[in-house]
Amino acid sequence: MDLQRAGVRLQIVLGHLSRPSAPAIVANPILGPASSASCHPQQFQYTLDNNVLSLEQRKFYEENGFLVIKNLVSDDDIQRFRAEFQRICRKEVNPPGIIVMRDVAIAKQDYTLSEKVVSKIQDFQEDQELFRYCTLPQILKYVECFTGPNIMAMHTMLINKPSDSGKKTSRHPLHQDLHYFPFRPSDRIVCAWTAMEHIDRNNGCLVVLPGTHKGTLKPHGYPNWEGGINKMYHGIQDYKKDKNRVHLVMKKGDTVFFHPLLIHGSGRNRTQGFRKAISCHYASSECHYISVNGTSQENIQSEVKDIVNRRFGMETNITLEDIWTFRGRLVKGEKINL
Ligand SMILES: CCCC(=O)SCCNC(=O)CCNC(=O)[C@H](O)C(C)(C)COP(=O)(O)OP(=O)(O)OC[C@H]1O[C@@H](n2cnc3c(N)ncnc32)[C@H](O)[C@@H]1OP(=O)(O)O
Ligand SMILES: Nc1ncnc2c1ncn2[C@@H]1O[C@H](COP(=O)(O)OP(=O)(O)OP(=O)(O)O)[C@@H](O)[C@H]1O
Ligand SMILES: O=C(O)CCC(=O)C(=O)O
Ligand SMILES: [Fe+2]
Ligand SMILES: [Mg+2]
């Protein structure tokens, strides 16, 4: 990546980090009451009042922690994201800050520049064409039901799940995305994940454990998988074959919105093709950063810091909050804390 430009940009961002510390949480229409028991009985915890979701959709998300909206992104837009992804893989464009990741099964092999060796790109917030996904009005309309009107795009990914080599490294272990995030409250964070083609169990669809968003953040670590595990693909540690797991079969353009505590993962890709999905994690700009020191998130914090230091070629004092400040972009409303 263009280290120099990314470095300059990071410096610019870090130069402006004179934010006041996170405010105390008080009653707030977006963040909810300070104590859920205090006010009138609150019917809904995970969704906000507006006219976008039907009562049935609202209840579904409240109960299950996810909601699939069919046919939300057009074929034309998906084609454009695909084309830009290919340009990034071929290094015809190189947006600052982007991470291009290969599957661990081929990480140490020689490779040519093509989409056939890339399993995921992350942090495409500086790529105008891909970032358009995060600003699509039909996506933001739904996002607002979970975050409220002040919306930050915090984390972006285009996942190109490769055909499994036989080592099962194309799987993504069951996890909660909140493990990666040093901001709260979790109910004002949501992921939008759009299928870029038909996705089912054959090519490794999303697998969700409905209702798990009502639980707490579990400790995560690397699963003991013989064939290898991708860098930072942490999983929950008390995995047992869960009878309640639901495989989300999705058509091209279908989009699932899900809570950051929802336990989810994806199976291996048994086809010869690459399974593509594009996603963005959004948060209310009223969320605040937390310190993860002394929590189960310390392990991912130190891995992220190691990678950043490696990229800059030196030890830095960069904090997790700085890294997230660097990634986040306001997409609607007003910038408040994040
Ligand atoms: C809601 C969020 C949920 C998530 O984000 S889950 C997944 C999070 N994933 C990430 O954040 C992406 C992490 N990946 C990365 O940062 C990079 O791809 C990574 C692993 C540092 C590789 O960076 P590159 O610039 O490609 O560096 P490189 O080719 O010189 O390799 C450096 C060392 O890393 C190894 N590597 C590359 N890809 C890997 C992989 N997929 N899994 C495990 N190890 C991998 C590579 O073998 C090399 O190791 P060594 O130093 O030679 O021993
Ligand atoms: N030890 C583990 N820890 C965490 N997650 C795991 C573990 N083993 C499997 N998983 C994950 O559980 C989810 C379901 O996997 P499972 O193998 O049961 O079904 P699948 O691979 O999606 O479909 P199929 O049954 O057709 O293989 C996937 O996300 C997989 O990555
Ligand atoms: O597309 C997938 O396989 C799921 C990826 C995922 O859950 C993640 O990267 O956090
Ligand atoms: Fe995830
Ligand atoms: Mg399986």
Side-chain angles (χ1 to χ4, degrees):
M1 73 164 184
D2 189 338
L3 270 178
Q4 228 177 349
R5 274 180 69 188
V8 168
R9 162 120 186 102
L10 189 57
Q11 270 179 349
I12 292 168
V13 171
L14 299 187
H16 289 78
L17 277 182
S18 51
R19 233 191 337 274
S21 54
I25 303 174
V26 291
N28 174 307
I30 297 301
L31 299 181
S35 147
S36 52
S38 62
C39 305
H40 56 89
Q42 226 190 348
Q43 209 182 342
F44 298 113
Q45 174 180 351
Y46 302 102
T47 58
L48 298 168
D49 290 323
N50 67 27
N51 297 321
V52 174
L53 299 183
S54 68
L55 185 60
E56 196 188 357
Q57 288 175 320
R58 233 179 136 171
K59 283 185 172 163
F60 188 90
Y61 188 90
E62 293 278 333
E63 259 324 288
N64 295 286
F66 69 96
L67 180 67
V68 178
I69 305 293
K70 292 195 169 296
N71 201 20
L72 197 60
V73 178
S74 70
D75 287 3
D76 185 48
D77 278 333
I78 289 172
Q79 184 45 44
R80 285 176 60 178
F81 302 144
R82 211 173 245 279
E84 182 68 357
F85 173 68
Q86 286 161 356
R87 283 191 284 272
I88 291 170
C89 293
R90 292 194 301 256
K91 294 225 154 74
E92 290 164 20
V93 286
N94 191 7
I98 205 157
I99 293 177
V100 177
M101 187 171 185
R102 282 171 291 150
D103 187 271
V104 62
I106 58 160
K108 290 191 195 297
Q109 292 170 13
D110 282 343
Y111 65 101
T112 45
L113 298 175
S114 97
E115 67 166 326
K116 293 201 160 40
V117 296
V118 173
S119 57
K120 177 186 245 192
I121 59 175
Q122 265 190 204
D123 301 336
F124 56 67
Q125 67 278 352
E126 288 292 330
D127 187 273
Q128 240 185 19
E129 183 71 350
L130 287 183
F131 195 71
R132 233 168 36 79
Y133 170 75
C134 308
T135 64
L136 288 175
Q138 70 272 35
I139 299 258
L140 292 179
K141 181 180 97 171
Y142 284 99
V143 168
E144 189 162 348
C145 303
F146 312 105
T147 60
N150 300 311
I151 310 175
M152 298 283 295
M154 296 300 287
H155 188 238
T156 53
M157 293 188 281
L158 194 153
I159 307 131
N160 188 44
K161 191 191 275 285
S163 177
D164 200 277
S165 62
K167 295 181 165 175
K168 300 190 190 174
T169 53
S170 67
R171 287 183 297 179
H172 199 129
L174 289 169
H175 64 283
Q176 298 165 302
D177 290 340
L178 194 69
H179 175 61
Y180 297 89
F181 302 152
F183 40 88
R184 301 290 187 276
S186 58
D187 295 344
R188 300 285 79 86
I189 304 172
V190 72
C191 177
W193 186 100
T194 300
M196 293 176 68
E197 60 201 298
H198 178 88
I199 301 183
D200 60 21
R201 218 161 156 165
N202 271 320
N203 57 0
C205 61
L206 275 192
V207 182
V208 302
L209 308 191
T212 48
H213 66 301
K214 294 179 189 169
T216 53
L217 181 61
K218 292 169 176 276
H220 286 60
Y222 287 110
N224 257 331
W225 286 352
E226 280 170 21
I229 174 79
N230 283 301
K231 181 86 178 147
M232 283 191 204
Y233 280 33
H234 291 190
I236 55 172
Q237 286 171 324
D238 54 353
Y239 168 81
K240 29 191 158 2
K241 267 218 160 201
D242 194 293
K243 287 210 168 44
N244 284 326
R245 64 189 206 277
V246 170
H247 290 79
L248 297 184
V249 175
M250 293 168 65
K251 291 204 179 99
K252 184 175 175 180
D254 291 355
T255 301
V256 59
F257 295 90
F258 64 91
H259 190 282
L261 282 170
L262 182 77
I263 298 175
H264 66 283
S266 58
R268 80 185 112 142
N269 179 0
R270 293 180 166 81
T271 69
Q272 292 308 304
F274 292 79
R275 187 230 71 180
K276 287 186 178 58
I278 185 165
S279 79
C280 179
H281 283 87
Y282 299 91
S284 163
S285 76
E286 292 181 68
C287 287
H288 57 273
Y289 286 106
I290 57 159
S291 164
V292 302
N293 295 340
T295 74
S296 63
Q297 291 178 263
E298 258 183 347
N299 59 0
I300 193 70
Q301 167 172 257
S302 66
E303 281 196 47
V304 169
K305 284 187 182 174
D306 284 351
I307 287 186
V308 168
N309 288 337
R310 209 177 141 140
R311 257 159 217 268
F312 284 100
M314 57 180 173
E315 283 293 314
T316 64
N317 295 323
I318 290 174
T319 66
L320 206 51
E321 181 175 329
D322 298 336
I323 293 166
W324 284 98
T325 303
F326 173 64
R327 285 176 176 152
R329 296 285 181 278
L330 185 73
V331 287
K332 195 167 183 196
E334 215 186 313
K335 205 162 154 64
I336 300 173
N337 294 322
L338 291 185

